[in-house]
Amino acid sequence: MSKYKTSGYKGSYDYSKSEEREGRSLVRFKCGLLNTIQDVLRQRPGWVEVKDEGEWDFNWCDVGWLRENFDHSYMEEHVAKSQGKGIFLFRKLKDIMDWKKDGTRSEEQKDAAQVESYVAQRYIENPYLINGRKFDLRVYVLVTSYVPLKAWLYRDGFGRFSSTRFSLSSIDDKYMHLTNVAVQKTAPEYDPEKGCKWQMQQLRRYLTAKHGRETVETLFTEMDNIFVRSLQSVQKVIINDKHCFELYGYDILLDQNLKPWLIEVNASPSYTPSSQEDYEMKCRLLEDTLNVVDMEGRLTGKEKRVGGYDLMWNDGPVYREDVNVETFGSSYFTANTHLGCVNDREKQLRQLLKPFPGQKRM
């Protein structure tokens, strides 16, 4: 039986190879990463880790494994630099030529620069600031199928803040312009106790208090459109396999007019925590990813919500039905997304999921 493979921070699984042992469904997993995902997999009831070349049912792969098992051209499309590496700002095209001629770089570095690919983006000059500091949003989208497209939006996420007050007077200060945690934690002003993140719920409450509910609802609807349209734009070129899923980290920047801008989509978002709170949030995210994938067969396949995930698109928009009492009890349909809203996932999971085999319901 063939093994279905996929890339780092994505998953691969084979339902037909699960086994029943001692009344419990045994799922053999493989994981090449030494961070939060490994903790989550090892703590999951009925899941057993396999080493080396052992047979597996579920594989959460690292980049090294991917390079060995996938065509190099696939890697070129999907694995790039991260954590702010390689990013620089310039004001004129002439600055790029000066950078290429920089005498401080070795000949080897210059040769590498000749063939290395870069993505050029226009800098958002009027970012929305909180306490004078720039931030962006990290949002998680789970794709369980590309044909047809089926995508889930996670309720939790966070805003990543710079530690330096924003100004365009200097474009060389990476601590001012780059919000990546890997960059910010090296800043002189960085306080590891406070960190540089706000949870998505905190950020949504702040924006609602300052700008009103209607304005914020419009903002989050525009972000929903970004998630769906970006996935649709690559739907025909992404390798589709019913045994694979993709967990993306979206980076969104807001400008002063509360317009969202897509900065990038990370196929390999970091799950290394920056604090205990961050670790707990990422554990919930990864646990619910496994709940949606449902190796244990506890779902019906018709769910619109699983824990912190809400089904956003299922070969078309997914709606929730709300009752508007103020308009004579009439009902209306709104998008089934709840980014930054209350995440009562434990209660919902208790109501939704059957206990694991041999486990008592809470």
Side-chain angles (χ1 to χ4, degrees):
M1 184 175 293
S2 63
K3 299 187 180 89
Y4 296 92
K5 301 177 175 67
T6 183
S7 62
Y9 302 100
K10 305 172 186 177
S12 174
Y13 49 92
D14 188 342
Y15 288 109
S16 61
K17 294 169 67 177
S18 297
E19 299 178 10
E20 289 286 342
R21 293 187 182 176
E22 299 179 358
R24 171 170 290 185
S25 177
L26 176 65
V27 178
R28 298 165 294 188
F29 76 86
K30 188 174 183 179
C31 181
L33 304 172
L34 300 176
N35 56 25
T36 309
I37 181 58
Q38 191 174 67
D39 294 344
V40 171
L41 289 168
R42 287 175 173 174
Q43 295 169 11
R44 195 160 182 88
W47 287 50
V48 178
E49 187 171 10
V50 297
K51 301 291 186 178
D52 301 324
E53 299 304 317
E55 288 293 311
W56 48 264
D57 307 309
F58 181 99
N59 191 355
W60 197 294
C61 340
D62 61 10
V63 174
W65 187 92
L66 189 64
R67 288 194 177 118
E68 293 179 6
N69 292 276
F70 271 88
D71 183 84
H72 182 68
S73 61
Y74 181 84
M75 293 293 296
E76 288 293 327
E77 290 181 25
H78 288 78
V79 178
K81 293 181 178 179
S82 61
Q83 300 181 331
K85 299 183 181 75
I87 297 177
F88 60 94
L89 307 179
F90 59 90
R91 297 183 187 276
K92 301 177 181 179
L93 290 176
K94 179 179 178 297
D95 295 338
I96 300 180
M97 301 304 298
D98 293 340
W99 174 80
K100 291 174 65 176
K101 297 176 182 178
D102 186 359
T104 63
R105 294 185 297 142
S106 67
E107 290 299 321
E108 182 178 352
Q109 288 175 316
K110 291 180 181 179
D111 291 340
Q114 299 297 324
V115 297
E116 191 170 10
S117 298
Y118 282 85
V119 175
Q121 293 178 299
R122 180 178 177 180
Y123 189 80
I124 306 301
E125 300 181 14
N126 62 333
Y128 188 97
L129 305 179
I130 295 181
N131 296 328
R133 288 170 169 78
K134 180 182 175 181
F135 68 95
D136 69 357
L137 308 179
R138 166 55 60 87
V139 183
Y140 295 99
V141 175
L142 173 65
V143 179
T144 52
S145 170
Y146 264 104
V147 183
L149 182 62
K150 188 171 185 178
W152 303 74
L153 179 64
Y154 204 64
R155 295 187 176 198
D156 291 346
F158 46 85
R160 304 180 298 187
F161 285 77
S162 65
S163 59
T164 305
R165 295 178 69 86
F166 179 79
S167 172
L168 286 176
S169 60
S170 172
I171 63 171
D172 298 321
D173 187 345
K174 63 181 180 180
Y175 301 122
M176 181 186 298
H177 299 286
L178 303 183
T179 59
N180 309 67
V181 175
V183 172
Q184 291 299 323
K185 68 182 182 181
T186 65
E189 301 88 355
Y190 180 74
D191 183 347
E193 293 295 324
K194 297 181 179 179
C196 55
K197 292 181 178 179
W198 276 16
Q199 294 302 311
M200 190 66 71
Q201 288 85 351
Q202 180 183 3
L203 186 59
R204 183 160 186 158
R205 287 195 300 268
Y206 174 91
L207 294 173
T208 300
K210 190 168 184 179
H211 301 283
R213 180 177 177 180
E214 184 176 347
T215 298
V216 174
E217 290 284 353
T218 299
L219 164 63
F220 278 74
T221 298
E222 290 176 352
M223 286 197 285
D224 292 344
N225 290 332
I226 287 176
F227 306 140
V228 172
R229 299 296 178 243
S230 60
L231 294 173
Q232 289 177 324
S233 70
V234 298
Q235 189 175 6
K236 294 182 179 180
V237 298
I238 294 289
I239 297 174
N240 184 68
D241 191 300
K242 66 179 181 179
H243 290 265
C244 298
F245 64 87
E246 309 261 3
L247 180 52
Y248 296 117
Y250 275 73
D251 292 343
I252 305 288
L253 183 72
L254 308 183
D255 67 17
Q256 289 177 348
N257 301 314
L258 284 183
K259 176 180 178 179
W261 296 83
L262 176 60
I263 303 301
E264 64 179 343
V265 181
N266 295 273
S268 299
S270 172
Y271 299 120
T272 301
S274 58
S275 66
Q276 182 62 30
E277 183 181 40
D278 193 44
Y279 175 77
E280 293 171 359
M281 189 280 290
K282 288 175 177 175
C283 282
R284 295 192 297 267
L285 166 73
L286 295 168
E287 288 170 1
D288 285 344
T289 298
L290 299 181
N291 290 333
V292 171
V293 172
D294 191 28
M295 292 290 291
E296 299 87 0
R298 298 189 293 167
L299 302 179
T300 66
K302 298 180 180 179
E303 291 81 4
K304 288 186 178 181
R305 181 187 177 190
V306 178
Y309 276 113
D310 298 291
L311 185 59
M312 172 174 56
W313 191 270
N314 189 14
D315 201 22
V318 179
Y319 299 103
R320 67 180 189 269
E321 187 174 354
D322 295 331
V323 177
N324 187 353
V325 179
E326 296 179 358
T327 55
F328 308 102
S330 62
S331 62
Y332 63 98
F333 292 92
T334 54
N336 187 48
T337 54
H338 303 265
L339 180 62
C341 297
V342 173
N343 187 8
D344 55 340
R345 59 180 293 274
E346 292 186 8
K347 176 182 177 181
Q348 197 270 344
L349 288 173
R350 284 196 299 269
Q351 296 173 342
L352 175 68
L353 298 177
K354 297 182 297 183
F356 287 105
Q359 180 186 36
K360 294 182 180 179
R361 183 178 290 276
M362 295 177 62

